[in-house]
Amino acid sequence: MPSQSLPVLVVGAGPTGLVHALTLCQSGVPVRIIDKAPKPFVGSRGAGIQPRTLEVYNSLGVLPDILTGAVPMPINRIYKLPGGTEVMKDFRMCPRSYPTPGIPFFNSYMLGQDVAQSILRSHLEKYGCHVEHGTELRTLDQHADRVEAQIVKHEDGNESPETFSASYVVGADGARGAVRKLLGLSFEGQSTGVGVIIADVKVRGLEREHWHMWGNMSTQGCSALPRYTHDDETFWIICFGKEIEEKTASDPEAVKALVKKLTDRPDIEITDFLTLNYVNFNVRMVSEFSRGRVFVAGDAAHVHSAAGGQGMNSSVMDAFNLAWKISLAYKGLASPNLLQSYTDERKPVIQKMLKVTTETLEKTVRMDDSGWERGMNFYQLDVNYRGSPIVVDHREVDALKPPPTNVYTISFVGTVQAGDRAPDAPNLLSLKRTDSGSALTSLFRIFKPTKHTVMVLSASGSAAEPVVDLLRDAKYPSDVVQTAFILPGWVAARESDALPRTDFVLKDTDGHVYEGYSVDPRKEEVTVIIVRPDGMVGGIGNGAATVKEYFERVFA
């Protein structure tokens, strides 16, 4: 596959499109990103950030800015009705936990989607890539080597049409977007019969220490979540339940009256609406995530209820999975089947996610308390691509069977296999330092969204040489592959020892790498673990043969 020269066109500048565009830009792939809306999105929708998404943000270098505004999920406070002031109970939807060596980010956070998008845009702009708002995609025409897109810019009431050629097009333009429709992809599924009114409002009469809740999903209810990045009167209001009518959302005064009715609190006064929308929960998914050179991701590919807080997070995972594959294809390095693996890997995961979120919604509607639980099964840390056609696992004889039905939750993490998320490991001593910085590092500091990381675990430095020789002879570009040799903690490194020719030489001082990846540090065998740019394990085995087989599936 020859390298490309035309930019990648990303349609839609929500979290999906922004994460995808930022990942491509960091890989040196030129991107044009457009959005039909005349200005950036305003509102809290998609406010819950799961731990796996935090890891993606960390990989992309945006996490410090995200955590500046994000807050842990507050305590939920349910009030008795009538009256609406007496507390029925307090509970945590997501119990707080503590980080582990393999999971440094082990809690969910809240941050309005508009704030998160602003942060992502600011990082994207560092690469000279700016979102073009008021720019609409009208048509797509695919060719063997490009996609011709008809685009219209809306400015001051005028339309300026243009024809734009792109190497690839990624549709991240939402459930009602143009890309999926232009591709003619089916969007099979059904309505849940449940909808919600969501609004960002200025409101008086509420304290900001809790996520306030009245009523229930089986009839009607209301919740109010403080927007901690805004002033003390700004809240995110949700009116929910089977009896909530869409027409109410078209009348702000009717919404004010509904909130007073549902809370039974005359002291709660909405003074202004920043946003006001109605969302009908549908459960739908495309049959395939791409056709030719055009792909769909996020809400353009799947929609479901907000129960479980999986939508925005799953969309980010779509974008991150696809970006490194398009990057290799753009550079002429991808195997013929690499882009197809996007559908192969994400489709079973999304199918399972739709099932999980629908079951969670149904529990909530029938007032099952477990419907409000948002435990580790929702963290997306154990979402896996086991059985993917591009992963290699020589430690698991049946790893290449079709993806299992439990690709969304697998007894929570467990023994790492090819296709799983790659755990972190802290306190790694660098024995091959090239700067004056700290000698201690971690796997998450080494993993890059632009590179495959080939890790060789052995007590003998010479064990890495066959892998280094293989990669050199295969002439894989150094900008997409890096190597790390990791000594077990029990080995004393001596100055007279010859260091292997890997990019990193590390000592696992606390044993977190060997323990986290289930490798016996006392055995003489060599273990090779290949971590993909999206932080997933691509291959596990006992030598250079694993590296060869894995990269034959990935590279041209």
Side-chain angles (χ1 to χ4, degrees), residues 97-125:
S97 187
Y98 296 95
T100 68
I103 305 173
F105 313 111
F106 212 158
N107 289 290
S108 300
Y109 284 80
M110 301 295 292
L111 181 67
Q113 185 173 316
D114 49 3
V115 178
Q117 289 181 194
S118 176
I119 292 169
L120 289 167
R121 284 197 304 274
S122 70
H123 282 262
L124 187 60
E125 288 165 1

PDB file of all heavy atoms in Angstrom, residues 97-125:
ATOM      1  N   SER A  97     -12.162   4.193  45.067  1.00  0.00           N
ATOM      2  CA  SER A  97     -11.196   3.136  45.251  1.00  0.00           C
ATOM      3  C   SER A  97      -9.792   3.743  45.228  1.00  0.00           C
ATOM      4  O   SER A  97      -9.633   4.957  45.132  1.00  0.00           O
ATOM      5  CB  SER A  97     -11.346   2.072  44.160  1.00  0.00           C
ATOM      6  OG  SER A  97     -10.529   0.966  44.429  1.00  0.00           O
ATOM      7  N   TYR A  98      -8.803   2.881  45.311  1.00  0.00           N
ATOM      8  CA  TYR A  98      -7.420   3.342  45.358  1.00  0.00           C
ATOM      9  C   TYR A  98      -6.657   2.791  44.163  1.00  0.00           C
ATOM     10  O   TYR A  98      -6.911   1.676  43.705  1.00  0.00           O
ATOM     11  CB  TYR A  98      -6.753   2.892  46.661  1.00  0.00           C
ATOM     12  CG  TYR A  98      -7.387   3.500  47.886  1.00  0.00           C
ATOM     13  CD1 TYR A  98      -8.374   2.816  48.585  1.00  0.00           C
ATOM     14  CD2 TYR A  98      -7.015   4.765  48.324  1.00  0.00           C
ATOM     15  CE1 TYR A  98      -8.979   3.373  49.706  1.00  0.00           C
ATOM     16  CE2 TYR A  98      -7.603   5.335  49.442  1.00  0.00           C
ATOM     17  CZ  TYR A  98      -8.590   4.640  50.129  1.00  0.00           C
ATOM     18  OH  TYR A  98      -9.182   5.213  51.228  1.00  0.00           O
ATOM     19  N   PRO A  99      -5.706   3.573  43.640  1.00  0.00           N
ATOM     20  CA  PRO A  99      -4.913   3.088  42.507  1.00  0.00           C
ATOM     21  C   PRO A  99      -4.070   1.885  42.893  1.00  0.00           C
ATOM     22  O   PRO A  99      -3.739   1.685  44.061  1.00  0.00           O
ATOM     23  CB  PRO A  99      -4.038   4.293  42.146  1.00  0.00           C
ATOM     24  CG  PRO A  99      -3.969   5.113  43.389  1.00  0.00           C
ATOM     25  CD  PRO A  99      -5.287   4.916  44.077  1.00  0.00           C
ATOM     26  N   THR A 100      -3.754   1.087  41.916  1.00  0.00           N
ATOM     27  CA  THR A 100      -2.854  -0.053  42.088  1.00  0.00           C
ATOM     28  C   THR A 100      -1.691   0.141  41.126  1.00  0.00           C
ATOM     29  O   THR A 100      -1.743   1.002  40.238  1.00  0.00           O
ATOM     30  CB  THR A 100      -3.579  -1.373  41.765  1.00  0.00           C
ATOM     31  OG1 THR A 100      -3.864  -1.419  40.354  1.00  0.00           O
ATOM     32  CG2 THR A 100      -4.872  -1.514  42.556  1.00  0.00           C
ATOM     33  N   PRO A 101      -0.628  -0.632  41.259  1.00  0.00           N
ATOM     34  CA  PRO A 101       0.487  -0.480  40.309  1.00  0.00           C
ATOM     35  C   PRO A 101       0.059  -0.618  38.848  1.00  0.00           C
ATOM     36  O   PRO A 101       0.562   0.111  37.982  1.00  0.00           O
ATOM     37  CB  PRO A 101       1.444  -1.599  40.728  1.00  0.00           C
ATOM     38  CG  PRO A 101       1.189  -1.776  42.189  1.00  0.00           C
ATOM     39  CD  PRO A 101      -0.293  -1.578  42.340  1.00  0.00           C
ATOM     40  N   GLY A 102      -0.866  -1.527  38.582  1.00  0.00           N
ATOM     41  CA  GLY A 102      -1.287  -1.735  37.200  1.00  0.00           C
ATOM     42  C   GLY A 102      -2.374  -0.797  36.746  1.00  0.00           C
ATOM     43  O   GLY A 102      -2.588  -0.606  35.554  1.00  0.00           O
ATOM     44  N   ILE A 103      -3.110  -0.197  37.712  1.00  0.00           N
ATOM     45  CA  ILE A 103      -4.234   0.682  37.395  1.00  0.00           C
ATOM     46  C   ILE A 103      -4.045   1.988  38.159  1.00  0.00           C
ATOM     47  O   ILE A 103      -4.543   2.151  39.277  1.00  0.00           O
ATOM     48  CB  ILE A 103      -5.583   0.027  37.759  1.00  0.00           C
ATOM     49  CG1 ILE A 103      -5.717  -1.336  37.089  1.00  0.00           C
ATOM     50  CG2 ILE A 103      -6.743   0.931  37.340  1.00  0.00           C
ATOM     51  CD1 ILE A 103      -6.950  -2.120  37.522  1.00  0.00           C
ATOM     52  N   PRO A 104      -3.325   2.933  37.596  1.00  0.00           N
ATOM     53  CA  PRO A 104      -3.057   4.177  38.326  1.00  0.00           C
ATOM     54  C   PRO A 104      -4.252   5.115  38.423  1.00  0.00           C
ATOM     55  O   PRO A 104      -4.285   5.986  39.282  1.00  0.00           O
ATOM     56  CB  PRO A 104      -1.920   4.815  37.515  1.00  0.00           C
ATOM     57  CG  PRO A 104      -2.081   4.267  36.138  1.00  0.00           C
ATOM     58  CD  PRO A 104      -2.622   2.878  36.310  1.00  0.00           C
ATOM     59  N   PHE A 105      -5.223   4.937  37.518  1.00  0.00           N
ATOM     60  CA  PHE A 105      -6.425   5.774  37.538  1.00  0.00           C
ATOM     61  C   PHE A 105      -7.615   4.840  37.761  1.00  0.00           C
ATOM     62  O   PHE A 105      -8.063   4.172  36.834  1.00  0.00           O
ATOM     63  CB  PHE A 105      -6.568   6.546  36.227  1.00  0.00           C
ATOM     64  CG  PHE A 105      -5.286   7.207  35.791  1.00  0.00           C
ATOM     65  CD1 PHE A 105      -4.595   6.755  34.678  1.00  0.00           C
ATOM     66  CD2 PHE A 105      -4.760   8.267  36.509  1.00  0.00           C
ATOM     67  CE1 PHE A 105      -3.408   7.344  34.279  1.00  0.00           C
ATOM     68  CE2 PHE A 105      -3.565   8.870  36.116  1.00  0.00           C
ATOM     69  CZ  PHE A 105      -2.889   8.406  35.008  1.00  0.00           C
ATOM     70  N   PHE A 106      -8.113   4.818  38.994  1.00  0.00           N
ATOM     71  CA  PHE A 106      -9.075   3.780  39.365  1.00  0.00           C
ATOM     72  C   PHE A 106     -10.404   4.372  39.828  1.00  0.00           C
ATOM     73  O   PHE A 106     -11.130   3.754  40.599  1.00  0.00           O
ATOM     74  CB  PHE A 106      -8.489   2.902  40.475  1.00  0.00           C
ATOM     75  CG  PHE A 106      -8.946   1.469  40.425  1.00  0.00           C
ATOM     76  CD1 PHE A 106      -8.208   0.482  41.037  1.00  0.00           C
ATOM     77  CD2 PHE A 106     -10.112   1.091  39.771  1.00  0.00           C
ATOM     78  CE1 PHE A 106      -8.605  -0.853  41.006  1.00  0.00           C
ATOM     79  CE2 PHE A 106     -10.514  -0.228  39.730  1.00  0.00           C
ATOM     80  CZ  PHE A 106      -9.761  -1.199  40.346  1.00  0.00           C
ATOM     81  N   ASN A 107     -10.736   5.592  39.388  1.00  0.00           N
ATOM     82  CA  ASN A 107     -11.985   6.208  39.783  1.00  0.00           C
ATOM     83  C   ASN A 107     -12.592   6.963  38.616  1.00  0.00           C
ATOM     84  O   ASN A 107     -11.885   7.400  37.708  1.00  0.00           O
ATOM     85  CB  ASN A 107     -11.767   7.165  40.962  1.00  0.00           C
ATOM     86  CG  ASN A 107     -11.468   6.424  42.253  1.00  0.00           C
ATOM     87  OD1 ASN A 107     -12.329   5.770  42.810  1.00  0.00           O
ATOM     88  ND2 ASN A 107     -10.221   6.514  42.710  1.00  0.00           N
ATOM     89  N   SER A 108     -13.902   7.087  38.645  1.00  0.00           N
ATOM     90  CA  SER A 108     -14.608   7.862  37.633  1.00  0.00           C
ATOM     91  C   SER A 108     -14.638   9.335  38.039  1.00  0.00           C
ATOM     92  O   SER A 108     -14.651   9.662  39.228  1.00  0.00           O
ATOM     93  CB  SER A 108     -16.042   7.342  37.471  1.00  0.00           C
ATOM     94  OG  SER A 108     -16.046   5.990  37.072  1.00  0.00           O
ATOM     95  N   TYR A 109     -14.675  10.192  37.045  1.00  0.00           N
ATOM     96  CA  TYR A 109     -14.721  11.642  37.279  1.00  0.00           C
ATOM     97  C   TYR A 109     -15.856  12.258  36.481  1.00  0.00           C
ATOM     98  O   TYR A 109     -16.369  11.664  35.533  1.00  0.00           O
ATOM     99  CB  TYR A 109     -13.397  12.293  36.888  1.00  0.00           C
ATOM    100  CG  TYR A 109     -12.282  12.071  37.882  1.00  0.00           C
ATOM    101  CD1 TYR A 109     -11.571  10.877  37.918  1.00  0.00           C
ATOM    102  CD2 TYR A 109     -11.946  13.060  38.808  1.00  0.00           C
ATOM    103  CE1 TYR A 109     -10.551  10.665  38.839  1.00  0.00           C
ATOM    104  CE2 TYR A 109     -10.925  12.855  39.728  1.00  0.00           C
ATOM    105  CZ  TYR A 109     -10.244  11.661  39.747  1.00  0.00           C
ATOM    106  OH  TYR A 109      -9.239  11.460  40.666  1.00  0.00           O
ATOM    107  N   MET A 110     -16.205  13.469  36.879  1.00  0.00           N
ATOM    108  CA  MET A 110     -17.224  14.231  36.170  1.00  0.00           C
ATOM    109  C   MET A 110     -16.606  15.506  35.613  1.00  0.00           C
ATOM    110  O   MET A 110     -15.904  16.237  36.328  1.00  0.00           O
ATOM    111  CB  MET A 110     -18.382  14.590  37.111  1.00  0.00           C
ATOM    112  CG  MET A 110     -19.081  13.407  37.755  1.00  0.00           C
ATOM    113  SD  MET A 110     -19.925  12.343  36.558  1.00  0.00           S
ATOM    114  CE  MET A 110     -21.250  13.423  36.015  1.00  0.00           C
ATOM    115  N   LEU A 111     -16.863  15.758  34.354  1.00  0.00           N
ATOM    116  CA  LEU A 111     -16.440  17.002  33.710  1.00  0.00           C
ATOM    117  C   LEU A 111     -17.368  17.242  32.532  1.00  0.00           C
ATOM    118  O   LEU A 111     -17.538  16.361  31.680  1.00  0.00           O
ATOM    119  CB  LEU A 111     -14.994  16.908  33.228  1.00  0.00           C
ATOM    120  CG  LEU A 111     -14.431  18.169  32.558  1.00  0.00           C
ATOM    121  CD1 LEU A 111     -14.313  19.306  33.565  1.00  0.00           C
ATOM    122  CD2 LEU A 111     -13.072  17.893  31.911  1.00  0.00           C
ATOM    123  N   GLY A 112     -17.981  18.409  32.487  1.00  0.00           N
ATOM    124  CA  GLY A 112     -18.886  18.713  31.382  1.00  0.00           C
ATOM    125  C   GLY A 112     -18.232  18.474  30.036  1.00  0.00           C
ATOM    126  O   GLY A 112     -17.055  18.804  29.832  1.00  0.00           O
ATOM    127  N   GLN A 113     -18.992  17.904  29.109  1.00  0.00           N
ATOM    128  CA  GLN A 113     -18.430  17.571  27.802  1.00  0.00           C
ATOM    129  C   GLN A 113     -17.907  18.817  27.091  1.00  0.00           C
ATOM    130  O   GLN A 113     -16.904  18.753  26.376  1.00  0.00           O
ATOM    131  CB  GLN A 113     -19.490  16.878  26.943  1.00  0.00           C
ATOM    132  CG  GLN A 113     -18.971  16.393  25.600  1.00  0.00           C
ATOM    133  CD  GLN A 113     -19.993  15.566  24.846  1.00  0.00           C
ATOM    134  OE1 GLN A 113     -20.662  14.708  25.423  1.00  0.00           O
ATOM    135  NE2 GLN A 113     -20.149  15.834  23.552  1.00  0.00           N
ATOM    136  N   ASP A 114     -18.565  19.952  27.285  1.00  0.00           N
ATOM    137  CA  ASP A 114     -18.097  21.168  26.614  1.00  0.00           C
ATOM    138  C   ASP A 114     -16.722  21.593  27.115  1.00  0.00           C
ATOM    139  O   ASP A 114     -15.871  22.027  26.325  1.00  0.00           O
ATOM    140  CB  ASP A 114     -19.108  22.308  26.777  1.00  0.00           C
ATOM    141  CG  ASP A 114     -19.575  22.522  28.216  1.00  0.00           C
ATOM    142  OD1 ASP A 114     -19.078  21.824  29.129  1.00  0.00           O
ATOM    143  OD2 ASP A 114     -20.449  23.388  28.423  1.00  0.00           O
ATOM    144  N   VAL A 115     -16.464  21.416  28.425  1.00  0.00           N
ATOM    145  CA  VAL A 115     -15.145  21.765  28.967  1.00  0.00           C
ATOM    146  C   VAL A 115     -14.095  20.791  28.442  1.00  0.00           C
ATOM    147  O   VAL A 115     -12.994  21.193  28.040  1.00  0.00           O
ATOM    148  CB  VAL A 115     -15.168  21.764  30.507  1.00  0.00           C
ATOM    149  CG1 VAL A 115     -13.783  22.081  31.067  1.00  0.00           C
ATOM    150  CG2 VAL A 115     -16.194  22.765  31.030  1.00  0.00           C
ATOM    151  N   ALA A 116     -14.428  19.486  28.439  1.00  0.00           N
ATOM    152  CA  ALA A 116     -13.489  18.481  27.934  1.00  0.00           C
ATOM    153  C   ALA A 116     -13.146  18.742  26.474  1.00  0.00           C
ATOM    154  O   ALA A 116     -11.978  18.640  26.060  1.00  0.00           O
ATOM    155  CB  ALA A 116     -14.074  17.081  28.108  1.00  0.00           C
ATOM    156  N   GLN A 117     -14.149  19.087  25.669  1.00  0.00           N
ATOM    157  CA  GLN A 117     -13.904  19.360  24.261  1.00  0.00           C
ATOM    158  C   GLN A 117     -13.019  20.596  24.075  1.00  0.00           C
ATOM    159  O   GLN A 117     -12.162  20.632  23.189  1.00  0.00           O
ATOM    160  CB  GLN A 117     -15.229  19.539  23.523  1.00  0.00           C
ATOM    161  CG  GLN A 117     -15.995  18.247  23.365  1.00  0.00           C
ATOM    162  CD  GLN A 117     -17.307  18.405  22.607  1.00  0.00           C
ATOM    163  OE1 GLN A 117     -18.138  17.510  22.624  1.00  0.00           O
ATOM    164  NE2 GLN A 117     -17.518  19.532  21.964  1.00  0.00           N
ATOM    165  N   SER A 118     -13.217  21.594  24.909  1.00  0.00           N
ATOM    166  CA  SER A 118     -12.382  22.787  24.821  1.00  0.00           C
ATOM    167  C   SER A 118     -10.919  22.440  25.086  1.00  0.00           C
ATOM    168  O   SER A 118     -10.009  22.942  24.401  1.00  0.00           O
ATOM    169  CB  SER A 118     -12.873  23.832  25.820  1.00  0.00           C
ATOM    170  OG  SER A 118     -12.028  24.966  25.818  1.00  0.00           O
ATOM    171  N   ILE A 119     -10.686  21.560  26.058  1.00  0.00           N
ATOM    172  CA  ILE A 119      -9.315  21.126  26.364  1.00  0.00           C
ATOM    173  C   ILE A 119      -8.720  20.367  25.187  1.00  0.00           C
ATOM    174  O   ILE A 119      -7.574  20.603  24.782  1.00  0.00           O
ATOM    175  CB  ILE A 119      -9.311  20.272  27.636  1.00  0.00           C
ATOM    176  CG1 ILE A 119      -9.652  21.136  28.861  1.00  0.00           C
ATOM    177  CG2 ILE A 119      -7.957  19.570  27.832  1.00  0.00           C
ATOM    178  CD1 ILE A 119      -9.929  20.344  30.113  1.00  0.00           C
ATOM    179  N   LEU A 120      -9.497  19.451  24.616  1.00  0.00           N
ATOM    180  CA  LEU A 120      -9.008  18.675  23.477  1.00  0.00           C
ATOM    181  C   LEU A 120      -8.714  19.582  22.287  1.00  0.00           C
ATOM    182  O   LEU A 120      -7.706  19.398  21.582  1.00  0.00           O
ATOM    183  CB  LEU A 120     -10.031  17.601  23.098  1.00  0.00           C
ATOM    184  CG  LEU A 120     -10.171  16.435  24.083  1.00  0.00           C
ATOM    185  CD1 LEU A 120     -11.414  15.612  23.770  1.00  0.00           C
ATOM    186  CD2 LEU A 120      -8.931  15.545  24.060  1.00  0.00           C
ATOM    187  N   ARG A 121      -9.570  20.569  22.058  1.00  0.00           N
ATOM    188  CA  ARG A 121      -9.323  21.503  20.954  1.00  0.00           C
ATOM    189  C   ARG A 121      -8.025  22.275  21.164  1.00  0.00           C
ATOM    190  O   ARG A 121      -7.253  22.488  20.221  1.00  0.00           O
ATOM    191  CB  ARG A 121     -10.493  22.487  20.803  1.00  0.00           C
ATOM    192  CG  ARG A 121     -11.728  21.920  20.149  1.00  0.00           C
ATOM    193  CD  ARG A 121     -12.667  23.033  19.673  1.00  0.00           C
ATOM    194  NE  ARG A 121     -13.032  23.939  20.756  1.00  0.00           N
ATOM    195  CZ  ARG A 121     -14.042  23.752  21.597  1.00  0.00           C
ATOM    196  NH1 ARG A 121     -14.798  22.669  21.481  1.00  0.00           N
ATOM    197  NH2 ARG A 121     -14.319  24.629  22.542  1.00  0.00           N
ATOM    198  N   SER A 122      -7.775  22.699  22.405  1.00  0.00           N
ATOM    199  CA  SER A 122      -6.558  23.470  22.673  1.00  0.00           C
ATOM    200  C   SER A 122      -5.309  22.644  22.393  1.00  0.00           C
ATOM    201  O   SER A 122      -4.304  23.182  21.899  1.00  0.00           O
ATOM    202  CB  SER A 122      -6.562  23.970  24.126  1.00  0.00           C
ATOM    203  OG  SER A 122      -6.381  22.912  25.048  1.00  0.00           O
ATOM    204  N   HIS A 123      -5.357  21.347  22.679  1.00  0.00           N
ATOM    205  CA  HIS A 123      -4.197  20.492  22.387  1.00  0.00           C
ATOM    206  C   HIS A 123      -4.077  20.231  20.894  1.00  0.00           C
ATOM    207  O   HIS A 123      -2.966  20.163  20.359  1.00  0.00           O
ATOM    208  CB  HIS A 123      -4.319  19.176  23.163  1.00  0.00           C
ATOM    209  CG  HIS A 123      -3.942  19.295  24.607  1.00  0.00           C
ATOM    210  ND1 HIS A 123      -2.693  18.944  25.084  1.00  0.00           N
ATOM    211  CD2 HIS A 123      -4.625  19.768  25.672  1.00  0.00           C
ATOM    212  CE1 HIS A 123      -2.638  19.181  26.390  1.00  0.00           C
ATOM    213  NE2 HIS A 123      -3.802  19.681  26.771  1.00  0.00           N
ATOM    214  N   LEU A 124      -5.200  20.094  20.224  1.00  0.00           N
ATOM    215  CA  LEU A 124      -5.187  19.887  18.775  1.00  0.00           C
ATOM    216  C   LEU A 124      -4.595  21.099  18.066  1.00  0.00           C
ATOM    217  O   LEU A 124      -3.837  20.964  17.086  1.00  0.00           O
ATOM    218  CB  LEU A 124      -6.609  19.610  18.293  1.00  0.00           C
ATOM    219  CG  LEU A 124      -6.801  19.201  16.836  1.00  0.00           C
ATOM    220  CD1 LEU A 124      -6.043  17.920  16.529  1.00  0.00           C
ATOM    221  CD2 LEU A 124      -8.290  19.027  16.537  1.00  0.00           C
ATOM    222  N   GLU A 125      -4.897  22.272  18.581  1.00  0.00           N
ATOM    223  CA  GLU A 125      -4.421  23.498  17.943  1.00  0.00           C
ATOM    224  C   GLU A 125      -2.905  23.649  18.033  1.00  0.00           C
ATOM    225  O   GLU A 125      -2.301  24.382  17.238  1.00  0.00           O
ATOM    226  CB  GLU A 125      -5.131  24.709  18.572  1.00  0.00           C
ATOM    227  CG  GLU A 125      -6.597  24.788  18.160  1.00  0.00           C
ATOM    228  CD  GLU A 125      -7.409  25.745  19.020  1.00  0.00           C
ATOM    229  OE1 GLU A 125      -6.820  26.365  19.943  1.00  0.00           O
ATOM    230  OE2 GLU A 125      -8.624  25.857  18.777  1.00  0.00           O
TER     231      GLU A 125
END
